Amino acid sequence: MNTMTNEVASTQQKTRAFLDRQKHRMLIGGQWVDALNGERLQIVNPADEAVIGSIPSAHAEDVDNAVECAKNALEHGTWARMRPSTRQNLLLKLADLIERDARVIAELEAIDNGKSAAIAQAVDIGLGLEFFRYMAGWTTKIEGSTLDVSVPFAPPEADFFAYTRREPVGVVAAIIPWNFPFLMACWKLAPALAAGCTVVLKPAEQTSLSALYLGELIEEANFPEGVVNIVTGDGQNAGSALTKHPGINKISFTGSTQVGQVIGRAAMDNMARVTLELGGKSPMIVLGDCDPEKAAQGAATAIFFNHGQTCSAGSRLYVHRSIFDVVVNRLAELAETIPMGSGLDPATEMGPLVSQVQLDRVCHFIEKGREEGARLVTGGKRADRKGYYVKPTIFTSEDDSLVIAKEEIFGPVLVAIPFDDVDDVVLRANDSRYGLAASIWSNDLSQVQRIIPRLKAGTVWVNGHNMLDANVPFGGYKLSGVGRDMGKQSLDSYLETKSVFMAL
Ligand code: NAI
Ligand code: MG
């Protein structure tokens, strides 16, 4: 008990010290700096709507400096010549430091984003540090191929030697959202650094603290200056300048489809490579043989985890009509008992939404659902307290062409829809502009195996939802994105192939 209390006290102390350091300045070329024009953006704690500090609001001139530093670190200095095993050790050291300070980082997430610190520590920080270790392993295993060649027009006595090398793609712009601030930073930084790239990271303006803390750990781990630069600021100024910068060789973005499309177009002007991980409206398909209790528990996690602010949230729940009512009623019971409160309270499972903007957006969709005639089973409004809390909300409808069944809401709002026929439900599940993920719930292995290839989704989970692992690629079909985060596939997207062809 005493150790527990001491640990809590020391975490709070470290968190406060970080906030006091006014080190929520930006990291450019190894220096902690303010925006050149001095502008700042407020940091709001979504649990009580209090302003708790501010971050620099970077503009084009700050972005120019950061890209310049990243380019220098890429081409000159120790990073450019560093051996893979040294890079590996730096990444491992960083993972150890993240593990050491996991509680502090989790607390910063709670203050900044609203999520439960306890859950963030296990999930966001746990997955993030694991991913650094996973990618550290790849640094020493990057390889090309030797290629036998024929060269039909060459004289018979000519000899050749051809091979490929994998090289870092260059300076990476990583632009990340507010829903998993720390984890998204890890998803972009780990493969970029494993590949030998340098990075300019722009966290979301709502949630920059954990990225800045990570910047401190990157310094402490002794990465060379300029390898990781962190510019804080909004999308219109910092994000847009970074996206359009001709010095950027690759853009890795997670966020809305709308902004992803803007970024994708801008990237093509400079032929920057892109990884885009965008929105979703992921279906859960519960077949008639599924245990209703398991389906209800699964659906609750799929939609209410991270308050529904998850790109792969299971927001469309298709349930076979034979068990529809029992699943929905049980799900409603579960929704009504989710402990809601500040992310700093260890009992909390659901915190506030991230911002006033997101609160308004989610409430607007709830209103829309009512207007469209969907049946409200539970929730449907803000919680009666200060902070951006929304009650877990469940609608049912026969009609999946409703706006609430089509658009990404990005909040704790689910639409449950009954179905009668498996072929029909597959078509309905695919009838979306998104294709990020889907889940199937059944023990009928043959049926499940027949459905999997027909679903247009980057990930298909079976008897689970939101299962993630460092070794499993994650990304979308259709408007849910381009490319993959995680797994070896994400490392590949930070590497160029150089072909070498020699006449002997
Ligand atoms: P957003 O896509 O605008 O923001 C994500 C990141 O992009 C932030 O760092 C932001 O500063 C940056 N950004 C914004 N405009 C930019 C531009 N023109 N150029 C370069 N960077 C830019 O997402 P927002 O506005 O915070 O949320 C709106 C909706 O987007 C949410 O309600 C949700 O539906 C969706 N979203 C999806 C996410 C996902 O993980 N797929 C994450 C966040 C939001
Ligand atoms: Mg936006």
Side-chain angles (χ1 to χ4, degrees):
M1 186 62 200
N2 241 342
T3 354
M4 241 333 243
T5 327
N6 287 343
E7 221 177 310
V8 170
S10 103
T11 302
Q12 285 171 351
Q13 226 166 39
K14 275 188 165 180
T15 309
R16 221 165 301 124
F18 171 76
L19 291 172
D20 289 346
R21 268 201 292 285
Q22 283 299 324
K23 253 208 176 173
H24 20 275
R25 290 179 288 170
M26 315 185 281
L27 181 61
I28 297 182
Q31 307 295 315
W32 290 94
V33 298
D34 286 316
L36 287 170
N37 69 5
E39 273 182 35
R40 299 183 77 80
L41 299 169
Q42 287 184 336
I43 309 173
V44 176
N45 180 343
D48 59 9
E49 305 174 35
V51 175
I52 54 166
S54 65
I55 48 164
S57 173
H59 284 63
E61 60 275 17
D62 306 295
V63 168
D64 285 345
N65 287 342
V67 175
E68 187 61 32
C69 291
K71 192 163 185 291
N72 263 326
L74 181 80
E75 290 171 358
H76 316 289
T78 51
W79 184 253
R81 290 189 310 276
M82 191 176 281
R83 293 195 174 143
S85 62
T86 314
R87 224 158 61 224
Q88 165 193 270
N89 292 340
L90 277 176
L91 287 169
L92 291 174
K93 171 80 184 162
L94 179 58
D96 289 347
L97 295 176
I98 294 170
E99 193 165 41
R100 183 196 69 192
D101 290 353
R103 289 175 74 106
V104 181
I105 301 168
E107 211 162 86
L108 290 172
E109 295 293 62
I111 292 169
D112 220 8
N113 164 283
K115 63 175 70 192
S116 146
I119 297 173
Q121 190 180 341
V123 179
D124 304 43
I125 322 300
L127 277 171
L129 76 92
E130 180 75 16
F131 193 47
F132 271 110
R133 289 187 179 139
Y134 170 85
M135 278 297 167
W138 278 119
T139 54
T140 53
K141 293 157 198 74
I142 295 170
E143 56 184 23
S145 340
T146 56
L147 308 165
D148 284 353
V149 293
S150 305
V151 199
F153 50 82
E157 66 277 12
D159 283 323
F160 301 97
F161 179 44
Y163 64 97
T164 56
R165 292 172 42 78
R166 307 301 314 276
E167 298 180 351
V169 71
V171 177
V172 173
I175 301 177
I176 56 171
W178 43 259
N179 55 339
F180 293 92
F182 187 78
L183 182 59
M184 291 303 106
C186 299
W187 278 19
K188 310 302 188 191
L189 282 176
L193 297 175
C197 297
T198 60
V199 183
V200 180
L201 170 70
K202 195 203 81 66
E205 55 272 36
Q206 300 85 349
T207 55
S208 296
L209 294 181
S210 59
L212 293 170
Y213 197 89
L214 181 62
E216 290 192 358
L217 298 183
I218 285 167
E219 267 191 325
E220 189 180 342
N222 254 324
F223 279 81
E225 289 179 358
V227 170
V228 177
N229 305 274
I230 303 173
V231 293
T232 54
D234 60 17
Q236 282 318 308
N237 296 297
S240 177
L242 190 54
T243 304
K244 292 180 187 146
H245 202 292
I248 296 296
N249 304 107
K250 175 182 168 94
I251 305 176
S252 188
F253 171 77
T254 297
S256 63
T257 290
Q258 201 187 356
V259 172
Q261 287 167 324
V262 171
I263 288 180
R265 279 184 217 113
M268 281 310 105
D269 284 343
N270 296 316
M271 289 302 151
R273 282 70 181 123
V274 282
T275 300
L276 304 171
E277 204 263 277
L278 310 175
K281 190 75 182 176
S282 299
M284 279 184 67
I285 301 173
V286 180
L287 301 188
D289 74 290
C290 184
D291 170 15
E293 177 63 25
K294 191 172 164 185
Q297 298 271 359
T301 314
I303 185 63
F304 300 132
F305 172 65
N306 212 41
H307 332 152
Q309 301 169 133
T310 307
C311 48
S312 55
S315 49
R316 287 187 288 155
L317 175 64
Y318 290 99
V319 185
H320 192 266
R321 198 177 297 278
S322 60
I323 55 169
F324 184 79
D325 288 342
V326 352
V327 170
V328 169
N329 291 339
R330 177 65 181 133
L331 175 58
E333 263 174 40
L334 292 171
E336 283 156 15
T337 55
I338 297 174
M340 190 182 256
S342 150
L344 294 175
D345 180 345
T348 290
E349 282 176 28
M350 211 162 143
L353 300 185
V354 70
S355 63
Q356 180 74 49
V357 172
Q358 198 58 20
L359 174 74
D360 293 344
R361 183 185 153 96
V362 170
C363 290
H364 161 82
F365 275 112
I366 290 173
E367 238 6 85
K368 189 78 196 163
R370 280 209 183 85
E371 277 168 33
E372 288 181 307
R375 189 175 80 87
L376 182 67
V377 183
T378 186
K381 53 174 189 281
R382 265 190 97 148
D384 190 16
R385 60 189 295 167
K386 206 167 171 57
Y388 310 129
Y389 296 89
V390 170
K391 293 202 165 176
T393 298
I394 296 165
F395 283 106
T396 62
S397 172
E398 288 281 336
D399 178 2
D400 47 12
S401 70
L402 301 184
V403 169
I404 56 163
K406 286 277 169 214
E407 298 296 324
E408 179 175 61
I409 298 175
F410 227 64
V413 182
L414 173 122
V415 191
I417 304 148
F419 74 88
D420 299 295
D421 176 68
V422 170
D423 288 329
D424 178 53
V425 81
V426 170
L427 293 177
R428 292 163 78 182
N430 284 337
D431 183 19
S432 168
R433 53 192 199 120
Y434 296 116
L436 190 57
S439 63
I440 311 169
W441 297 73
S442 169
N443 286 324
D444 181 344
L445 200 58
S446 308
Q447 190 70 274
V448 168
Q449 285 292 357
R450 279 187 212 107
I451 296 173
I452 290 168
R454 297 169 63 196
L455 286 172
K456 302 277 182 273
T459 297
V460 176
W461 290 297
V462 178
N463 293 327
H465 200 104
N466 288 332
M467 296 182 286
L468 298 171
D469 185 84
N471 199 28
V472 181
F474 183 82
Y477 284 28
K478 300 194 269 185
L479 290 195
S480 290
V482 173
R484 294 293 179 267
D485 283 311
M486 296 207 292
K488 176 151 192 303
Q489 211 175 327
S490 90
L491 176 75
D492 288 338
S493 75
Y494 292 86
L495 293 165
E496 282 284 7
T497 298
K498 177 178 283 171
S499 299
V500 183
F501 207 143
M502 304 169 69
L504 302 180

